[in-house]
Amino acid sequence: MRVLQFSCSLIFLLLCSALCLSYAAPRFPGSVIKPEQISSSTVAKSENELYKTKYFTQILDHFNYSPQSYHKFQQRYLINDTYWGGAKKNAPIFVYTGNEGDIEWFTQNTGFMFDIAPQFKALLVFIEHRFYGKSIPYGGNKEVAYANSSTLGHLSSTQALADYATIIIDLKKNLSATDSPVVVFGGSYGGMLAAWFRLKYPHVALGALASSAPILNFEDITSPYSFANIITQDFRSESENCYKVIKGSWQKIEDTAKQPGGLDLLQKSFHICNVVVCLNVQMCKAIDNPVHGNDTFAKLYAAANIYYNYTGHAKCFDLDDHSDPHGLDEWSWQACTEMVMPTDGSNEESIFPVSEPSYKDWAESCHDYYGVWPRPNWITTEFGGHDIKRVLKRFGSNIIFFNGLRDPWSGGGVLEDISKTIIAIVAKEGAHHVDLRYATKEDPEWLKEIRSREIKIITKWLSQYYTSLFHLSR
Amino acid sequence: MRVLQFSCSLIFLLLCSALCLSYAAPRFPGSVIKPEQISSSTVAKSENELYKTKYFTQILDHFNYSPQSYHKFQQRYLINDTYWGGAKKNAPIFVYTGNEGDIEWFTQNTGFMFDIAPQFKALLVFIEHRFYGKSIPYGGNKEVAYANSSTLGHLSSTQALADYATIIIDLKKNLSATDSPVVVFGGSYGGMLAAWFRLKYPHVALGALASSAPILNFEDITSPYSFANIITQDFRSESENCYKVIKGSWQKIEDTAKQPGGLDLLQKSFHICNVVVCLNVQMCKAIDNPVHGNDTFAKLYAAANIYYNYTGHAKCFDLDDHSDPHGLDEWSWQACTEMVMPTDGSNEESIFPVSEPSYKDWAESCHDYYGVWPRPNWITTEFGGHDIKRVLKRFGSNIIFFNGLRDPWSGGGVLEDISKTIIAIVAKEGAHHVDLRYATKEDPEWLKEIRSREIKIITKWLSQYYTSLFHLSR
């Protein structure tokens, strides 16, 4: 069940996966770091120090009242009350709105929340997205939950947001913390969910930090060429030579693949268990200074090594590696139904082979695979996106949109302030939700400044909230 | 299928229906006027002059992607383009968000929109709520659509709101009127939908006039005694004698019912085809000056006559009258699932018999009847309500909440300004969404003033919108 690859030809697959230009199911690239790659500052704290694991009995369908919709499932959330100031002081609650994957991974990689919890005396809660990790409906049985479109049908962003609202309200009630303000955090798809959550559930969340959230990468709002263009720019700015090597490699790979034994040769060249390789900005260094040889394939292998063999111990790349924390199969379902994000355009200048956006092919492959058609207009119908400056200029408040311009997803991000309280923070050198990582001594000045600006804004939200709490009778 | 009566004892039934204090399914009283009672100013215009009937192919489930959710149905909407300034001028579109009933009835009784359309050069659109009128899923087959909880499951407020968003976006596209601003209007449940629509779909609607929308009549936000208290106050302010007659009649009715032949006697006294009678503020005049006799029952009959026999021609009251434009069966379903509005408390002073709020009984009767349990916390989870002043003080904009304090539903309405753009208009003498009716020469000064204030506010929204449209690039 790998819709991800539907629109990828073999040659395309070689650069596919993390930075894949598939129509609608690219993996959010900055997230594709495996658990074993977590930096030492993260793993220094053991799981038990970071959080406790809890489960909430969640309803299967919030928007339907058929008897089937009343089915319940166990939804996982992680909680840390080390720094919390408590319910009596109405101390804040910081909630991470889980992405398309195991919530433990996102928790361990959102060090920012742990870093700032002490100064805010905040309770930390990380909620897992339904159908991912251990939050599987149908009795936790993945075989049943993923079996077909009828069971997968309940995997959608609107259901996930309603899950978060339901859990947060219940949790606050149980903690007698009804008046504790809630701020939501999220990166990538989780960032989209955080922003949408503030817009749809202002009565549950006071504000949102939406990091690298491409909420405008739907329909015709963002150019489908933007994704490839940003990657191209990333590579060119690192090294024009690197860009040329990769750009020139496509024809060579295609020619080789066509020759007798060509696929075997490619497989050996790339040390691929199945067939895939990934790119990264850092890879340019490997291409410019290859240690494995000097031909095109050797350079590409060296580059790929950076992404998929961080430790240097893996002998080959395993496409079907099930330790990947991201729920690719489930994301493919989401991409084939509602998360239709056009990123498959690639023009002459692009580092990728030229490619015309092809919604039709994508939609048909989705239908062939799942038996349902995508709803490409749904996200903009439900959450908007068109004319966002005009729509939100006098509506809504308290959202920070962070974007790093190195991140190919930044093309679909909110890059300009919308109002005094819906704010865009843009980092020229920034990567995918880099602000949410643990602070380290090596952090550049701009990153430190961005984080302290985020803290300042959140402080203001909370301060206004406490003033209102004091002045407005309930 | 009449859950409405679940919590009503026989004696209670006699004053039940329009002003029924059932736990959660009271009919919105101001709406309970039958088509034949429409004032002459309304019926002067024939249906064909008022609107054209159209149908939109709507998706059954917006929040689920199972193959079943892709089923389509024909949703009716009525449209009037007589006054529209057209797409080229980005002239506005006024949309009525349909209630629990036949949309034709609501259209004919929302003369305000017709009255103001010329000055705004507005297109008028009235969208029917799914499962009501002629907007029946499952091929328009009511027998199937209402058959059980599985099919009825798709009848919910969130689905209805998503229907409205989908139709409006599609309609604007077809009219090449993407930049035409949309203002939504609604009264009673339709008013709740209008307010929620502005909050949830600000990218579709610029503002909302929510008339007599009891969005706070959920959970513990509004006292369950408020409904009966307001009715009591209404009667007492009309006539203390009237209040005493009605209050004193309960014991008499109960005693009579217990006697041999008592039920027959009651039936004759009230000329009831089945068993029901209704009250109205006007009824006090009939009680104080009865024409049918002077005993208690005769006085009550005279009062009931005003409500259920407006023309004076009906010989008895037919509880199962299917010409009622309101979808009672469907509303019972909504009340038994999500629209759980506690209004069943009645204290010593109340004009009704003393009654303790009894959610448990209500919930059990719903479960017995439909096989599903109510979700009493859902509406506040999805739409909020608690601490509304604090939550919306710095979030959202452009909503008018009108309430008439004569209306028992006003207890659950927004009666104070929330911000500079979320405004409460309160009329001491006002009844249920009286502002939305056609203007007549007999309208009191206060009503004229309220309508002109509403017009002024809507004018401001539109003016701000056009300024933004001009200044903000898309």
Side-chain angles (χ1 to χ4, degrees):
Chain A
M1 206 148 73
R2 247 192 133 77
V3 191
L4 180 69
Q5 297 155 8
F6 274 164
S7 66
C8 303
S9 63
L10 171 68
I11 184 169
F12 213 75
L13 256 179
L14 293 169
L15 265 161
C16 207
S17 194
L19 296 186
C20 173
L21 296 183
S22 81
Y23 190 79
R27 289 161 73 167
F28 287 105
S31 311
V32 184
I33 298 173
K34 299 188 177 186
E36 63 267 33
Q37 297 164 13
I38 294 165
S39 73
S40 56
S41 65
T42 309
V43 292
K45 293 180 183 175
S46 78
E47 177 185 326
N48 284 341
E49 277 180 69
L50 277 181
Y51 47 76
K52 283 178 189 147
T53 302
K54 305 232 177 186
Y55 285 87
F56 177 79
T57 303
Q58 189 63 268
I59 203 159
L60 182 61
D61 195 329
H62 299 278
F63 309 105
N64 187 316
Y65 298 96
S66 69
Q68 192 207 358
S69 76
Y70 281 74
H71 286 180
K72 300 283 174 64
F73 70 96
Q74 295 302 306
Q75 182 165 18
R76 181 167 60 159
Y77 64 97
L78 312 177
I79 192 163
N80 177 317
D81 62 2
T82 313
Y83 313 107
W84 196 36
K88 280 185 187 166
K89 293 190 174 171
N90 299 317
I93 302 174
F94 290 173
V95 175
Y96 190 91
T97 49
N99 303 44
E100 74 290 13
D102 188 310
I103 193 61
E104 293 198 87
W105 188 87
F106 292 100
T107 304
Q108 290 156 11
N109 282 272
T110 308
F112 181 63
M113 289 173 68
F114 290 93
D115 283 344
I116 68 174
Q119 70 194 86
F120 286 105
K121 301 192 193 307
L123 179 70
L124 300 181
V125 181
F126 301 82
I127 313 178
E128 192 161 68
H129 194 294
R130 56 165 58 198
F131 280 85
Y132 292 94
K134 293 192 173 168
S135 300
I136 311 296
Y138 300 96
N141 187 333
K142 288 192 181 189
E143 303 247 330
V144 177
Y146 302 166
N148 56 51
S149 304
S150 286
T151 49
L152 272 171
H154 293 100
L155 168 52
S156 74
S157 55
T158 42
Q159 298 282 1
L161 293 174
D163 289 343
Y164 299 153
T166 306
I167 290 189
I168 293 169
I169 289 170
D170 187 82
L171 184 69
K172 287 177 74 174
K173 205 173 163 188
N174 287 341
L175 293 170
S176 305
T178 314
D179 286 341
S180 283
V182 171
V183 177
V184 287
F185 296 72
S188 198
Y189 171 52
M192 295 159 71
L193 293 173
W196 291 337
F197 192 77
R198 168 60 183 160
L199 286 173
K200 294 284 191 184
Y201 296 90
H203 48 288
V204 185
L206 172 69
L209 170 51
S211 182
S212 301
I215 60 166
L216 305 181
N217 221 131
F218 293 90
E219 275 197 290
D220 57 351
I221 306 172
T222 298
S223 162
Y225 295 91
S226 152
F227 198 87
N229 286 345
I230 296 173
I231 295 174
T232 302
Q233 187 48 40
D234 286 347
F235 277 83
R236 293 186 86 160
S237 69
E238 287 295 319
S239 152
E240 189 70 20
N241 175 54
C242 169
Y243 160 72
K244 281 181 185 159
V245 167
I246 294 173
K247 191 164 175 60
S249 67
W250 301 112
Q251 193 57 48
K252 200 164 178 179
I253 292 171
E254 191 167 19
D255 293 346
T256 308
K258 281 178 188 163
Q259 288 167 13
L263 283 175
D264 282 349
L265 176 63
L266 284 175
Q267 196 162 342
K268 279 179 195 158
S269 297
F270 288 101
H271 301 236
I272 297 163
C273 300
N274 259 320
V275 181
V276 94
V277 80
C278 286
L279 282 173
N280 199 338
V281 176
Q282 297 168 309
M283 295 172 191
C284 283
K285 287 182 189 160
I287 285 176
D288 287 346
N289 307 293
V291 290
H292 292 280
N294 212 17
D295 69 16
T296 303
F297 292 162
K299 285 177 179 175
L300 281 177
Y301 171 70
N305 226 356
I306 288 176
Y307 222 105
Y308 257 60
N309 189 15
Y310 206 78
T311 60
H313 299 142
K315 286 185 183 164
C316 69
F317 304 128
D318 183 2
L319 182 61
D320 291 329
D321 181 358
H322 295 293
S323 70
D324 190 311
H326 287 73
L328 268 189
D329 289 349
E330 306 95 295
W331 182 253
S332 299
W333 163 261
Q334 288 194 260
C336 265
T337 50
E338 60 178 17
M339 302 303 292
V340 183
M341 306 173 79
T343 53
D344 60 336
S346 179
N347 57 25
E348 284 292 340
E349 284 297 293
S350 161
I351 197 168
F352 297 100
V354 171
S355 135
E356 288 293 312
S358 57
Y359 171 71
K360 198 167 157 275
D361 293 348
W362 167 259
E364 277 170 8
S365 58
C366 285
H367 186 256
D368 288 349
Y369 200 82
Y370 290 112
V372 299
W373 293 101
R375 296 181 188 170
N377 308 322
W378 169 246
I379 291 293
T380 57
T381 298
E382 179 67 9
F383 301 112
H386 290 105
D387 310 313
I388 193 166
K389 283 189 82 165
R390 194 200 305 153
V391 169
L392 297 184
K393 193 184 171 189
R394 291 193 185 83
F395 184 97
S397 57
N398 297 2
I399 305 177
I400 302 169
F401 288 104
F402 167 81
N403 277 286
L405 297 186
R406 287 275 177 153
D407 171 9
W409 286 111
S410 66
V414 175
L415 302 177
E416 287 177 39
D417 286 357
I418 288 176
S419 67
K420 280 187 182 170
T421 58
I422 303 183
I423 291 165
I425 298 183
V426 178
K428 204 179 151 197
E429 302 294 313
H432 206 54
H433 57 76
V434 65
D435 57 329
L436 293 186
R437 306 279 181 177
Y438 274 104
T440 68
K441 283 178 185 168
E442 295 76 35
D443 287 338
E445 225 24 67
W446 62 261
L447 183 54
K448 287 180 193 166
E449 278 167 23
I450 277 170
R451 288 194 182 119
S452 83
R453 197 174 158 206
E454 290 172 348
I455 291 167
K456 210 168 158 183
I457 294 168
I458 294 168
T459 306
K460 191 178 174 187
W461 297 344
L462 293 171
S463 153
Q464 280 183 332
Y465 173 84
Y466 290 117
T467 305
S468 291
L469 186 65
F470 185 76
H471 288 294
L472 290 177
S473 59
R474 297 193 60 195
Chain B
M1 206 147 77
R2 246 189 133 77
V3 191
L4 180 70
Q5 298 156 6
F6 274 163
S7 66
C8 303
S9 63
L10 171 68
I11 183 168
F12 212 75
L13 256 177
L14 293 170
L15 264 160
C16 207
S17 196
L19 297 185
C20 174
L21 296 182
S22 80
Y23 189 79
R27 290 161 73 167
F28 287 104
S31 311
V32 184
I33 298 174
K34 297 189 175 185
E36 62 269 32
Q37 297 165 13
I38 294 165
S39 73
S40 57
S41 65
T42 309
V43 291
K45 292 180 183 173
S46 78
E47 178 186 323
N48 286 339
E49 277 179 68
L50 276 182
Y51 47 77
K52 284 178 189 145
T53 302
K54 305 231 175 186
Y55 285 87
F56 177 79
T57 303
Q58 189 61 271
I59 203 160
L60 181 62
D61 194 329
H62 298 279
F63 309 104
N64 187 314
Y65 299 96
S66 69
Q68 193 208 358
S69 76
Y70 281 75
H71 286 182
K72 301 282 173 64
F73 70 97
Q74 295 302 304
Q75 184 165 17
R76 181 166 61 159
Y77 64 97
L78 312 178
I79 192 163
N80 177 319
D81 62 3
T82 313
Y83 313 107
W84 196 36
K88 281 185 185 166
K89 293 189 174 170
N90 299 317
I93 302 173
F94 290 173
V95 175
Y96 189 92
T97 49
N99 304 45
E100 74 288 13
D102 188 309
I103 192 60
E104 293 198 86
W105 187 88
F106 293 100
T107 305
Q108 290 157 11
N109 282 273
T110 308
F112 182 62
M113 289 173 68
F114 290 93
D115 284 343
I116 68 173
Q119 70 195 87
F120 285 105
K121 299 190 193 310
L123 179 70
L124 300 181
V125 181
F126 301 82
I127 313 177
E128 191 161 68
H129 194 294
R130 55 165 58 199
F131 280 84
Y132 292 94
K134 294 192 171 168
S135 301
I136 312 296
Y138 300 96
N141 188 333
K142 288 192 181 190
E143 303 245 330
V144 178
Y146 302 166
N148 56 51
S149 303
S150 286
T151 50
L152 273 172
H154 294 100
L155 168 52
S156 74
S157 56
T158 43
Q159 298 283 0
L161 294 173
D163 289 342
Y164 299 152
T166 305
I167 290 190
I168 294 169
I169 289 170
D170 187 81
L171 185 69
K172 288 177 74 174
K173 206 173 162 188
N174 288 341
L175 294 170
S176 304
T178 315
D179 286 342
S180 282
V182 171
V183 177
V184 287
F185 296 73
S188 197
Y189 172 52
M192 295 159 70
L193 293 173
W196 291 337
F197 193 78
R198 168 61 183 161
L199 286 173
K200 293 285 191 183
Y201 296 90
H203 48 289
V204 185
L206 172 68
L209 170 52
S211 181
S212 301
I215 60 165
L216 305 181
N217 220 131
F218 293 90
E219 276 196 292
D220 57 351
I221 306 172
T222 299
S223 161
Y225 294 92
S226 151
F227 198 87
N229 285 346
I230 295 173
I231 295 174
T232 303
Q233 187 50 40
D234 286 348
F235 278 84
R236 294 187 85 159
S237 68
E238 286 297 316
S239 152
E240 190 69 19
N241 176 52
C242 169
Y243 159 73
K244 281 180 185 158
V245 167
I246 294 174
K247 191 164 176 60
S249 67
W250 302 112
Q251 193 57 48
K252 199 163 179 181
I253 292 173
E254 193 167 17
D255 293 346
T256 307
K258 281 178 189 162
Q259 288 167 14
L263 282 176
D264 283 346
L265 176 62
L266 284 175
Q267 197 162 342
K268 279 178 197 160
S269 297
F270 288 100
H271 300 237
I272 296 164
C273 299
N274 260 321
V275 181
V276 93
V277 81
C278 284
L279 282 175
N280 197 338
V281 175
Q282 297 169 310
M283 296 171 190
C284 282
K285 288 182 188 159
I287 285 175
D288 286 347
N289 306 293
V291 291
H292 293 279
N294 212 18
D295 71 15
T296 303
F297 292 161
K299 285 178 180 176
L300 280 177
Y301 171 69
N305 227 356
I306 287 177
Y307 221 105
Y308 257 61
N309 189 16
Y310 205 78
T311 61
H313 298 142
K315 287 184 182 164
C316 68
F317 304 127
D318 182 1
L319 182 61
D320 290 329
D321 181 357
H322 294 294
S323 70
D324 190 312
H326 288 73
L328 268 188
D329 288 350
E330 306 95 294
W331 183 253
S332 300
W333 164 260
Q334 289 194 259
C336 264
T337 50
E338 60 179 16
M339 302 303 292
V340 183
M341 306 174 77
T343 54
D344 59 336
S346 179
N347 57 26
E348 285 291 341
E349 284 297 294
S350 161
I351 195 167
F352 298 99
V354 171
S355 136
E356 288 293 312
S358 57
Y359 172 71
K360 198 168 157 275
D361 293 348
W362 166 259
E364 277 170 8
S365 58
C366 285
H367 186 255
D368 288 348
Y369 200 82
Y370 290 111
V372 299
W373 293 101
R375 296 181 188 169
N377 308 321
W378 169 245
I379 292 292
T380 56
T381 298
E382 179 66 10
F383 300 112
H386 289 104
D387 310 312
I388 193 166
K389 285 190 80 166
R390 194 202 303 154
V391 169
L392 297 185
K393 193 186 171 189
R394 292 193 184 84
F395 185 97
S397 58
N398 298 2
I399 305 177
I400 302 168
F401 288 103
F402 167 81
N403 278 287
L405 296 187
R406 287 275 177 151
D407 171 10
W409 286 112
S410 65
V414 174
L415 301 177
E416 288 177 38
D417 286 358
I418 289 175
S419 67
K420 280 187 183 169
T421 58
I422 303 183
I423 291 165
I425 297 183
V426 177
K428 203 179 153 199
E429 301 295 313
H432 206 52
H433 56 76
V434 65
D435 57 330
L436 293 186
R437 306 278 182 179
Y438 274 103
T440 68
K441 284 178 184 169
E442 294 76 36
D443 287 338
E445 232 14 74
W446 62 260
L447 183 53
K448 287 180 193 166
E449 277 166 23
I450 278 171
R451 287 195 184 119
S452 82
R453 196 173 161 210
E454 290 173 348
I455 291 167
K456 209 169 161 185
I457 294 168
I458 294 169
T459 305
K460 192 179 174 185
W461 298 343
L462 292 172
S463 153
Q464 279 182 334
Y465 173 84
Y466 290 118
T467 305
S468 290
L469 186 65
F470 184 77
H471 287 296
L472 289 176
S473 57
R474 295 194 61 197

